[in-house]
Amino acid sequence: MVRAITALLNIEGLLVYFPYDYIYPEQYSYMLELKRTLDAKGHGVLEMPSGTGKTISLLSLIVAYQREYPLEVTKLIYCSRTVPEIEKVVEELRKLIEFYSKETGEKNNFLALALSSRKNLCVHPEVSSLRFGKEVDGKCHSLTASYIRAQRHSNPSLPSCRFYEEFDAMGKQVPLPAGVYNLDDMKDFGRRKGWCPYYLARYSILHANIIVYSYHYLLDPKIADLVSKELSKKSVVVFDEAHNIDNVCIDSMSVNITRRTLDRSQANVETLQNTILKIKETDSAKLKEEYRRLVEGLKEANVARETDIYMSNPVLPDEILQEAVPGSIRTAEHFVGFMKRFLEYLKSRLRIHHVVQESTPQFLKDIFEKVCIDRKPLRFCAERLRSLLRTLEIADIADFSAITLISNFATLVSTYSKGFTIIIEPFEDRTPTIANPVLHFSCMDPSIAIKPVFERFQSVIITSGTLSPLDIYPRILDFRPVTTASFTMTLARTCLCPLVVGRGNDQVAMTSKFETREDFAVIRNYGNLLLEMSAIVPDGIVAFFTSYTYMENIVASWYEQGILENVQRNKLIFIETPDAAETSMALEKYQEACENGRGAILLSVARGKVSEGIDFVHHFGRAVIMFGVPYVYTQSRILKARLEYLRDQFQIRENDFLTFDAMRHAAQCVGRAIRGKTDYGLMIFADKRYARADKRGKLPRWIQEHLTDSSLNLTIDETVQLSKHFLRQMAQPFKQEDQLGLSLLTLEQLQSEDMLQKIAQIAHQA
Amino acid sequence: MAALSEEVLLVVKRVRQRKQDGTLYLMAERIAWGPEGKDRFTVSHLYADIRCQKISPDGKAKIQLQLVLHTGESTNLHFSNESTALKDRDAAKDLLQQLLPKFKKRANKELEEKNRMLQEDPVLFQLYKDLVVCQVISAEEFWANRLSINNVDHSLSNNKQEVGISAAFLADIRPQTDGCNGLRYNLTSDIIESIFRTYPAVKQKYGENVPHNLTEKEFWTRFFQSHYFHRDRINTGLQDIFSECAKLDEKGLKSMVFQGVKNPMVDLLSLEDKSLEEGYGSNSTAPSTSNTNKTVKENSNSAIIKRFNHHSTMVLAALTLCMALCTIIMCFLSKMSCHFYVIEYEDLHRENGKKTVALNLKKSDRYSHGPVPLLPQQYTTSQDIVNSVNCIKHEIASYKPCLTQVMSSSTASSAIAALSPGGVLMQALAQQAINQMVPNDVQEEMKHLYTAAGELLRHFWSCFPVNTPFLEEKVVKMRSNLERFQMTKLRPFQEKVQRQYLSTNLTGHLEDMFQMAYNKFHAWQTRRMMRKT
């Protein structure tokens, strides 16, 4: 009993098991806010720097809540962004659950599992050896689709996946035994039982207590409809690393159509037509059956949605569910004819010589005038095509991705009159001589994709290390949070050192502003900064540029000026390339060079893959240099349309949004280097514009706090001096005792009254 | 003739030494000179013995080469073939220049090593003085054992440590204009080595073309002119011999990329769980535009970037030896441990200080007093022990105190008092007394004696079990060494102690140790005798 008390935290009456001996004060505040959010059954926005144990705080509180109120919260859906992060979360969860069973002494009946794409879960020896996710999906489908399996009854020589067959025969009878299953555990279990881990996981999420998977399973309507639509309403959804969630939403709803897409769709339509003819000769009953079903309409889905079993799908709007498929596309031939007409129309739209931008109603009006296509059948396109593909028993859906894309576009364009724009560009801006027409159907309103999530689940938590300014996310995602809070990192020593370098030693202002970015002096000063830093910073330095082309230009001119050769005297240089495989290798070598003491510099790009997904802990990143302010490319028409929409719809000024967007990416980049309280690193903002209040104020609080007036608008020399001082200080031994009581608390300390007050004070500054 | 089996690197005729004509031979290991018409060498020096060579100034009439030995002696060689004297001398000089450093290193390394060890370790130095300088044992014997201890790291340092490559070696060749429309590149053998190791393709080209097609100078001139060296220049000449190198590099890079990365945390390809399908997304412009419509400028820029990545990778790979090991370890650690250390917040855990193993002594007296001499005793079989234990058990079970013969309580307590610390019987044992009694210099000397004796005994005992003739010989020698040590060192010390009227027997333990060694030796010898007879 005495033991139990020491391991328990009391969060406003909720007893929480925390699997560590110590706790950071901010973790305590974080759990407090989280608990209040869950109590209120509302949504929350919580910002806490990475490396302060966000994940474990979230998990331990929600698990405790689930155990305490099993009827209020039945499931935790934890969404993360990358596969390694998903696995990390599951490992932390495993630790927590093990701690539970150790402390309580009883066997846990928790089921927690990670779900990922087939590529990461497949155990079929041939299929899993394929390199790309798309290939794996296609191959799997060709072995496991229902009609393929039906055909196998008459023709047993057809290839099959024994794992799927076993799972189908046995796997659904007994639920997955309680425990924590990471991706590899799922695979092991599947191999042992001979069951397909992917389908087992997909089946098991329905009754699991905790699911960890990636954003797409909830936000991408195409996938969410397959995987997540039956998840319980009483779930808590957590979006971790959510600083980019609006872009994920927008991406999942946007469509680009090129000439190539149309050509491939054309081919698809031909295939469909041929198959229909063939079937008509042999098995016309099948088509009749389909027709009957379509008359019935999508009643089944409608009933399910009304009784709250299904999550709504933005591609499958409510209205269609109540109606039967319109007569004009009900028979297979008619539908194919309809699609042909639609394709011809799109082709004609792509034959243009100037940029066209129009709203969806304009587009619909135009299509009605030109080819007499009504709005209503268009809306049923996606559903109708799916039904047809099912009826025709087409094995490899992947081949039909082009026509599926077109039909999704048709449904979306006819469903939403607001929040979307259509831009047809005859060529790329950089190469006006080469015709490459593209139709961008671009979503401007991220709230469309995420709306079903907010509506369906009782609590949605949006959290990340960098969410500042906090008020903007509820506005652009269009929801009303019950809690918004930003927690800072309590530190026993200032282990981060943000510096704004505004000038070179020659007093020429340093900035990546468009007018001066190609200026010789600016490039030289940037080079000098890198050179000086390479001489004083130990091990790894990561430098971020605002865009890939900018980096290419700068690297080329640094090469000409011999700057890079001098940098090489101090460290090895690795550079991110557009090719992911090449960059992975460069990254690995970079880490190797940091590891063996050689020291290295990684030149990288904000908004690139490195800046989003790779952490540079400890000596892998002792300094981050942000060259310039990473504004998005503002000349893009899609962006302009989106800015306009934000202004009209949400009253967000263009400049505010652009700055917000630039600063969150800058914060992401520099935040890569600090991954905990024992870590330390320099954050160098190399642009004079960072010194301005409007930019500085949009940095996360935990960075802003340490950005003093004396560290603004420095010259390179001053920066070097400050950095040297900082690095020497940080290199001193740092022991646990130094942190204790300040940024690290024992659980006993947490029980004292004045400590709680102090914590509350810190939290309320937010 | 022995000389025949050696490899002769250079023969120079008509070289005079001490006014005598003869022939100079440069062999793999030594330099030798024999007078004309005789087939033996009157002068022969190992390269290792030569400290340096000196040559006469260019303008001098006599063209000479002087070899200075480590011993300080020197040998003058006069090249007297009028027409080719200078050339001959230079040929010999050049060859020597190449050979000498190699041997110099080898010879000095051992000496240096010994010197270093003596300097670093004062105890060893004292030991050396005691044993070698006083000629108790020979220097070789002394080192034989020492160096073998260090054999492990010796063998490592033996095969020349690989030197890494400076990442900026290309920067060091920075061309300088020589003022008349030319460029000068600084190229040293180090840089060439670096280039070869970083760009194996260049090495291959070098092997193919030099010296058959191109001279070395031409080769490097072409190299610096090539597009390969100036990646930002656009490829123009197809006759460029290095255009192939670029392709080879590219291939190498590709294969490395294809192998993929081992650490899943940095694998960008598998980072995304579910990528958007083609055609979806806001800024996924079609990939068809990747290569075709890139401008020339952009192409050269991306070539530079590729080059930097490749360069750094190769420089890194040059540290292969130790790195190979690292990567293997990395492989082992691979996936699971990656997660492991990433999710741990080390500072949230209670530090449980390093656990040390407590020294567990069963018999602490043996630890503080050293081993007791093994007296010839009778071994008891386990059966005997069991029997005696039973016997004792039996005795105890039937034990009846014989109260009539017990001491009176007063005598008992006085006996206990006498045996307790501070009591009459315990006084002489106080350790402090000896510390204070014995003067410091005697203590100091005794320490030296102990280390020296310990060293000798170590040599002695390390011979057992004696199973080779070499060890046999050594053990005999060591015994005489021990005796000599006892005579020359221990005796005088004993006498000195006696002269100072120190009552305590300071050298008792030392003598015991020697005695034990003698006993062992004796036992071994008698056994050997018996076996022989």
Side-chain angles (χ1 to χ4, degrees):
Chain A
M1 203 52 218
V2 176
R3 176 108 179 82
I5 287 171
T6 57
L8 277 173
L9 287 172
N10 183 347
I11 309 282
E12 285 188 344
L14 179 72
L15 296 181
V16 175
Y17 283 92
F18 191 71
Y20 288 97
D21 301 315
Y22 300 99
I23 185 169
Y24 298 135
E26 56 270 32
Q27 285 182 312
Y28 178 77
S29 326
Y30 188 88
M31 288 197 234
L32 216 59
E33 288 298 329
L34 190 58
K35 158 120 195 318
R36 288 174 189 159
T37 317
L38 296 188
D39 282 341
K41 296 203 169 68
H43 310 314
V45 180
L46 301 172
E47 180 187 53
M48 182 156 94
S50 45
T52 48
K54 208 175 344 144
T55 311
I56 192 68
S57 317
L58 262 167
L59 291 174
S60 32
L61 188 104
I62 297 178
V63 168
Y65 204 91
Q66 246 177 307
R67 285 170 59 95
E68 187 70 29
Y69 311 105
L71 296 176
E72 303 287 312
V73 172
T74 54
K75 199 187 281 286
L76 164 63
I77 304 171
Y78 195 109
C79 302
S80 200
R81 299 191 41 177
T82 63
V83 178
E85 264 161 35
I86 289 171
E87 295 190 301
K88 236 161 72 183
V89 172
V90 180
E91 288 312 311
E92 295 209 37
L93 188 62
R94 187 197 307 283
K95 201 174 145 102
L96 178 71
I97 300 290
E98 272 166 16
F99 182 74
Y100 256 98
S101 48
K102 206 181 88 199
E103 289 296 317
T104 57
E106 60 199 50
K107 191 87 182 75
N108 235 300
N109 51 1
F110 249 71
L111 176 61
L113 61 95
L115 174 62
S116 177
S117 54
R118 289 185 180 85
K119 187 182 149 226
N120 295 319
L121 279 175
C122 183
V123 289
H124 190 279
E126 279 166 42
V127 180
S128 60
S129 63
L130 294 169
R131 252 189 117 184
F132 297 103
K134 213 191 274 177
E135 294 170 358
V136 177
D137 288 348
K139 185 86 184 159
C140 178
H141 205 263
S142 71
L143 292 176
T144 59
S146 55
Y147 42 85
I148 298 272
R149 295 176 59 228
Q151 279 174 19
R152 208 174 297 122
H153 282 301
S154 52
N155 182 8
S157 65
L158 285 172
S160 72
C161 171
R162 67 188 163 87
F163 295 99
Y164 182 79
E165 296 301 327
E166 279 290 309
F167 165 73
D168 197 52
M170 322 277 286
K172 288 181 181 167
Q173 291 159 10
V174 202
L176 194 64
V180 179
Y181 295 87
N182 212 335
L183 297 177
D184 284 341
D185 304 322
M186 280 312 288
K187 275 166 126 174
D188 279 348
F189 185 81
R191 273 201 201 97
R192 227 173 28 241
K193 291 271 187 183
W195 296 347
C196 172
Y198 173 73
Y199 282 100
L200 180 63
R202 259 180 64 175
Y203 173 72
S204 301
I205 60 171
L206 295 180
H207 58 264
N209 301 90
I210 298 173
I211 316 167
V212 186
Y213 58 27
S214 80
Y215 281 23
H216 299 285
Y217 289 99
L218 270 188
L219 293 182
D220 190 338
K222 301 176 283 297
I223 312 172
D225 198 43
L226 286 174
V227 178
S228 308
K229 68 176 173 187
E230 286 176 65
L231 294 180
S232 152
K233 202 171 150 45
K234 288 181 175 174
S235 304
V236 176
V237 178
V238 174
F239 288 106
D240 196 2
E241 303 287 324
H243 46 269
N244 240 350
I245 195 167
D246 52 326
N247 289 334
V248 177
C249 293
I250 283 177
D251 279 354
S252 69
M253 299 290 281
S254 299
V255 175
N256 301 302
I257 296 172
T258 59
R259 234 178 225 162
R260 195 158 147 264
T261 330
L262 292 180
D263 291 343
R264 283 176 51 211
S265 312
Q266 192 79 38
N268 287 345
V269 170
E270 304 285 323
T271 328
L272 284 178
Q273 200 164 20
N274 292 337
T275 329
I276 290 168
L277 278 177
K278 232 183 280 164
I279 283 199
K280 221 172 177 185
E281 283 161 16
T282 57
D283 193 5
S284 56
K286 205 182 266 171
L287 287 174
K288 282 200 186 114
E289 163 64 22
E290 190 204 16
Y291 186 88
R292 196 190 55 75
R293 236 182 338 171
L294 293 175
V295 177
E296 292 270 302
L298 306 160
K299 285 223 178 85
E300 231 172 277
N302 188 31
V303 170
R305 192 179 286 181
E306 272 175 359
T307 50
D308 231 17
I309 300 170
Y310 281 2
M311 179 167 87
S312 61
N313 182 347
V315 190
L316 198 68
D318 276 327
E319 298 91 88
I320 10 180
L321 295 176
Q322 286 147 17
E323 298 169 42
V325 174
S328 56
I329 57 170
R330 221 177 282 162
T331 65
E333 292 109 321
H334 288 170
F335 177 63
V336 170
F338 175 85
M339 283 311 278
K340 267 187 174 167
R341 220 161 1 124
F342 185 55
L343 280 177
E344 284 308 320
Y345 171 73
L346 288 178
K347 267 191 195 159
S348 75
R349 290 304 304 268
L350 283 187
R351 274 191 292 264
I352 45 157
H353 298 288
H354 56 275
V355 180
V356 175
Q357 177 172 1
E358 57 190 27
S359 66
T360 43
Q362 278 172 316
F363 181 84
L364 288 175
K365 185 160 169 264
D366 190 57
I367 197 169
F368 183 70
E369 280 168 4
K370 294 230 174 86
V371 286
C372 291
I373 287 183
D374 212 352
R375 181 165 170 236
K376 200 170 164 198
L378 269 182
R379 283 171 90 177
F380 284 86
C381 255
E383 201 49 36
R384 181 68 190 90
L385 179 72
R386 206 181 306 171
S387 159
L388 184 66
L389 289 178
R390 233 180 352 231
T391 317
L392 298 183
E393 302 185 343
I394 283 156
D396 201 350
I397 297 280
D399 284 348
F400 286 86
S401 60
I403 190 78
T404 319
L405 180 79
I406 299 287
S407 69
N408 276 338
F409 163 67
T411 304
L412 285 171
V413 82
S414 51
T415 307
Y416 295 98
S417 53
K418 249 176 48 180
F420 287 86
T421 186
I422 294 166
I423 296 169
I424 308 172
E425 285 177 325
F427 44 73
E428 277 184 61
D429 276 348
R430 286 191 302 164
T431 52
T433 47
I434 302 157
N436 179 30
V438 186
L439 185 148
H440 299 282
F441 175 67
S442 107
C443 173
M444 294 178 299
D445 190 349
S447 69
I448 294 173
I450 205 171
K451 198 170 159 208
V453 178
F454 281 122
E455 278 176 356
R456 177 163 179 83
F457 300 108
Q458 69 180 33
S459 284
V460 178
I461 312 292
I462 290 192
T463 185
S464 172
T466 48
L467 282 177
S468 296
L470 289 174
D471 58 325
I472 207 154
Y473 283 91
R475 274 161 81 191
I476 56 177
L477 296 180
D478 193 24
F479 72 104
R480 224 146 260 95
V482 292
T483 42
T484 46
S486 168
F487 304 98
T488 178
M489 180 149 56
T490 52
L491 290 172
R493 57 166 191 180
T494 23
C495 69
L496 49 125
C497 178
L499 301 171
V500 176
V501 193
R503 306 166 277 154
N505 290 336
D506 49 5
Q507 304 302 324
V508 176
M510 260 200 252
T511 173
S512 69
K513 221 196 233 159
F514 188 73
E515 298 80 47
T516 55
R517 58 163 56 178
E518 301 296 337
D519 193 339
F520 189 75
V522 171
I523 294 178
R524 193 190 53 227
N525 276 334
Y526 275 161
N528 284 340
L529 177 65
L530 186 71
L531 181 58
E532 298 280 337
M533 295 314 287
S534 75
I536 61 160
V537 177
D539 300 319
I541 300 179
V542 191
F544 289 99
F545 292 84
T546 52
S547 73
Y548 192 75
T549 27
Y550 188 49
M551 178 171 84
E552 263 190 347
N553 288 340
I554 287 208
V555 166
S557 54
W558 281 351
Y559 174 74
E560 276 159 26
Q561 293 168 28
I563 289 175
L564 285 181
E565 283 179 341
N566 286 321
V567 171
Q568 277 183 320
R569 283 181 211 277
N570 301 323
K571 286 180 192 306
L572 294 174
I573 298 176
F574 294 96
I575 306 173
E576 181 177 355
T577 67
D579 180 300
E582 260 179 59
T583 310
S584 304
M585 196 197 68
L587 258 173
E588 194 180 48
K589 296 289 170 196
Y590 167 81
Q591 294 202 338
E592 200 177 308
C594 293
E595 201 72 78
N596 73 9
R598 188 102 207 194
I601 292 180
L602 182 71
L603 303 182
S604 180
V605 180
R607 295 161 196 280
K609 281 210 161 107
V610 173
S611 73
E612 291 290 332
I614 306 293
D615 289 347
F616 297 97
V617 284
H618 294 290
H619 58 284
F620 292 139
R622 282 300 180 213
V624 182
I625 307 176
M626 182 73 237
F627 289 114
V629 184
Y631 279 114
V632 67
Y633 174 62
T634 46
Q635 298 308 303
S636 133
R637 290 188 187 82
I638 301 174
L639 180 76
K640 279 183 180 159
R642 188 175 169 200
L643 290 175
E644 222 166 89
Y645 184 82
L646 286 171
R647 193 187 56 212
D648 297 345
Q649 220 58 40
F650 300 118
Q651 287 76 50
I652 297 171
R653 277 188 300 149
E654 288 166 29
N655 248 334
D656 280 352
F657 181 78
L658 287 176
T659 315
F660 150 75
D661 185 60
M663 294 314 283
R664 71 172 161 180
H665 280 105
Q668 261 308 298
C669 293
V670 296
R672 293 280 127 199
I674 305 275
R675 255 32 204 168
K677 295 189 179 184
T678 50
D679 203 352
Y680 65 87
L682 286 160
M683 300 175 166
I684 295 174
F685 297 94
D687 194 310
K688 66 167 187 186
R689 289 175 289 174
Y690 283 108
R692 290 194 206 144
D694 67 319
K695 307 276 185 311
R696 196 148 56 101
K698 287 196 169 71
L699 284 172
R701 191 155 75 94
W702 57 279
I703 297 179
Q704 245 184 81
E705 265 181 354
H706 300 284
L707 195 59
T708 52
D709 283 341
S710 61
S711 52
L712 298 177
N713 201 17
L714 304 167
T715 65
I716 293 175
D717 273 350
E718 288 162 347
T719 313
V720 169
Q721 284 314 314
L722 287 172
S723 310
K724 267 188 186 163
H725 180 73
F726 171 77
L727 289 168
R728 292 222 178 98
Q729 244 176 357
M730 285 301 119
Q732 304 310 312
F734 183 56
K735 289 200 212 74
Q736 197 172 42
E737 295 87 72
D738 306 335
Q739 283 203 61
L740 212 58
L742 281 169
S743 57
L744 192 67
L745 306 175
T746 61
L747 302 186
E748 289 85 21
Q749 277 171 323
L750 250 189
Q751 283 160 358
S752 76
E753 208 43 52
D754 51 332
M755 187 57 86
L756 289 180
Q757 252 167 27
K758 217 195 269 173
I759 294 172
Q761 216 171 15
I762 299 170
H764 278 293
Q765 286 169 9
Chain B
M1 250 181 80
L4 281 180
S5 61
E6 286 180 73
E7 190 191 352
V8 178
L9 302 173
L10 183 71
V11 180
V12 186
K13 290 214 168 116
R14 301 199 57 183
V15 178
R16 309 184 94 192
Q17 204 255 337
R18 300 216 172 142
K19 313 236 159 126
Q20 209 174 359
D21 264 325
T23 314
L24 180 72
Y25 296 88
L26 275 90
M27 261 97 58
E29 299 259 320
R30 60 184 181 140
I31 183 169
W33 179 85
E36 201 118 312
K38 292 186 183 148
D39 53 358
R40 67 188 164 75
F41 301 130
T42 50
V43 176
S44 165
H45 298 305
L46 289 173
Y47 292 130
D49 295 335
I50 299 174
R51 186 198 286 161
C52 63
Q53 57 167 337
K54 291 178 178 170
I55 53 167
S56 53
D58 272 348
K60 276 275 183 71
K62 267 190 180 178
I63 293 165
Q64 284 185 318
L65 179 81
Q66 186 182 43
L67 302 171
V68 184
L69 305 185
H70 285 301
T71 49
E73 293 168 45
S74 64
T75 308
N76 288 327
L77 299 164
H78 176 202
F79 293 81
S80 53
N81 193 346
E82 293 99 14
S83 54
T84 60
L86 194 63
K87 223 172 78 193
D88 287 347
R89 203 266 319 265
D90 285 345
K93 182 199 76 177
D94 286 344
L95 191 58
L96 271 176
Q97 211 165 27
Q98 286 173 30
L99 291 169
L100 285 183
K102 279 191 220 162
F103 287 91
K104 198 176 258 167
K105 264 183 210 151
R106 197 191 295 173
N108 289 350
K109 216 174 219 160
E110 241 178 60
L111 259 177
E112 266 171 36
E113 177 74 2
K114 286 176 184 173
N115 205 357
R116 189 184 59 78
M117 280 172 71
L118 285 181
Q119 275 172 0
E120 280 176 7
D121 190 350
V123 179
L124 190 73
F125 187 52
Q126 182 63 39
L127 201 62
Y128 188 81
K129 277 200 288 187
D130 286 344
L131 297 178
V132 181
V133 179
C134 303
Q135 296 187 334
V136 177
I137 58 173
S138 71
E140 277 105 77
E141 264 178 298
F142 181 81
W143 286 115
N145 222 317
R146 288 285 144 197
L147 287 176
S148 72
I149 297 171
N150 296 346
N151 238 356
V152 190
D153 54 342
H154 200 75
S155 67
L156 262 183
S157 61
N158 224 355
N159 51 20
K160 191 175 127 232
Q161 195 183 2
E162 289 271 320
V163 182
I165 301 175
S166 157
F169 66 81
L170 287 177
D172 297 330
I173 348 178
R174 265 298 97 187
Q176 292 148 348
T177 43
D178 58 359
C180 45
N181 270 344
L183 282 175
R184 277 176 65 118
Y185 290 92
N186 303 314
L187 203 59
T188 65
S189 61
D190 274 349
I191 294 178
I192 292 177
E193 168 83 13
S194 300
I195 292 175
F196 282 167
R197 277 167 66 187
T198 318
Y199 301 107
V202 176
K203 187 174 187 178
Q204 194 192 330
K205 283 281 162 216
Y206 182 86
E208 282 168 13
N209 289 312
V210 180
H212 331 296
N213 300 335
L214 301 165
T215 66
E216 182 150 6
K217 195 172 169 192
E218 275 171 355
F219 179 83
W220 290 116
T221 315
R222 287 218 192 164
F223 176 73
F224 290 129
Q225 285 167 350
S226 72
H227 154 72
Y228 184 66
F229 182 63
H230 300 277
R231 281 299 174 78
D232 53 339
R233 286 191 199 160
I234 307 313
N235 196 355
T236 45
L238 284 170
Q239 75 284 7
D240 185 354
I241 57 168
F242 294 103
S243 57
E244 207 176 300
C245 292
K247 276 180 207 135
L248 280 174
D249 284 352
E250 190 100 329
K251 226 195 244 165
L253 199 64
K254 276 240 174 69
S255 77
M256 271 193 282
V257 167
F258 186 75
Q259 278 169 11
V261 290
K262 290 169 203 93
N263 185 351
M265 300 300 285
V266 298
D267 192 355
L268 293 170
L269 284 175
S270 65
L271 217 53
E272 285 284 320
D273 182 27
K274 193 102 187 179
S275 55
L276 286 166
E277 279 164 65
E278 198 184 320
Y280 297 96
S282 52
N283 43 9
S284 61
T285 36
S288 63
T289 55
S290 59
N291 287 324
T292 44
N293 48 14
K294 269 202 170 171
T295 61
V296 174
K297 172 82 179 155
E298 279 166 344
N299 259 332
S300 87
N301 285 355
S302 66
I304 292 173
I305 285 176
K306 273 217 173 93
R307 177 199 172 136
F308 270 107
N309 279 340
H310 180 250
H311 178 87
S312 300
T313 311
M314 292 310 285
V315 168
L316 204 58
L319 309 160
T320 40
L321 200 78
C322 58
M323 286 318 296
L325 233 141
C326 286
T327 37
I328 290 168
I329 295 169
M330 289 282 278
C331 283
F332 276 124
L333 288 176
S334 76
K335 216 174 165 185
M336 271 331 285
S337 59
C338 273
H339 295 304
F340 194 70
Y341 72 78
V342 175
I343 65 161
E344 284 293 320
Y345 295 94
E346 66 261 274
D347 50 342
L348 287 182
H349 276 297
R350 205 176 288 279
E351 273 172 302
N352 35 358
K354 276 218 179 97
K355 274 190 185 149
T356 48
V357 181
L359 184 60
N360 187 11
L361 293 174
K362 286 221 174 80
K363 289 182 182 161
S364 52
D365 52 333
R366 279 193 68 169
Y367 180 69
S368 38
H369 294 155
V372 234
L374 256 182
L375 298 172
Q377 55 185 331
Q378 279 177 340
Y379 281 100
T380 41
T381 63
S382 51
Q383 188 55 45
D384 288 340
I385 294 171
V386 172
N387 285 345
S388 49
V389 168
N390 284 340
C391 196
I392 290 170
K393 265 189 189 163
H394 184 74
E395 287 277 304
I396 287 174
S398 59
Y399 172 72
K400 280 198 190 81
C402 187
L403 290 170
T404 48
Q405 287 174 22
V406 160
M407 254 191 262
S408 70
S409 60
S410 59
T411 29
S413 59
S414 73
I416 288 171
L419 282 168
S420 333
V424 192
L425 290 171
M426 301 300 285
Q427 263 168 356
L429 284 175
Q431 191 65 42
Q432 238 180 341
I434 289 183
N435 270 351
Q436 285 157 2
M437 253 156 57
V438 180
N440 274 340
D441 61 322
V442 177
Q443 281 185 34
E444 210 39 46
E445 204 180 336
M446 194 153 135
K447 262 186 210 157
H448 291 319
L449 276 177
Y450 258 101
T451 40
E455 175 67 17
L456 283 175
L457 286 165
R458 195 172 62 77
H459 277 279
F460 175 81
W461 288 106
S462 69
C463 299
F464 291 97
V466 188
N467 43 21
T468 63
F470 170 74
L471 282 177
E472 253 173 56
E473 201 179 300
K474 183 171 177 186
V475 82
V476 175
K477 205 164 58 198
M478 283 322 296
R479 187 195 131 88
S480 60
N481 282 346
L482 282 175
E483 273 169 348
R484 203 179 319 143
F485 182 81
Q486 212 176 1
M487 294 308 289
T488 56
K489 291 270 172 180
L490 199 55
R491 280 287 144 69
F493 179 71
Q494 274 170 331
E495 278 157 23
K496 183 179 162 193
V497 171
Q498 268 164 17
R499 246 181 285 126
Q500 295 190 352
Y501 307 109
L502 292 171
S503 59
T504 37
N505 184 8
L506 290 176
T507 54
H509 180 238
L510 271 175
E511 299 227 330
D512 281 350
M513 290 203 293
F514 278 110
Q515 198 52 50
M516 202 136 51
Y518 294 153
N519 287 348
K520 177 76 183 173
F521 183 78
H522 189 71
W524 170 74
Q525 213 168 25
T526 44
R527 211 173 328 135
R528 197 174 60 148
M529 287 304 193
M530 269 161 65
R531 214 180 302 147
K532 270 186 183 166
T533 52

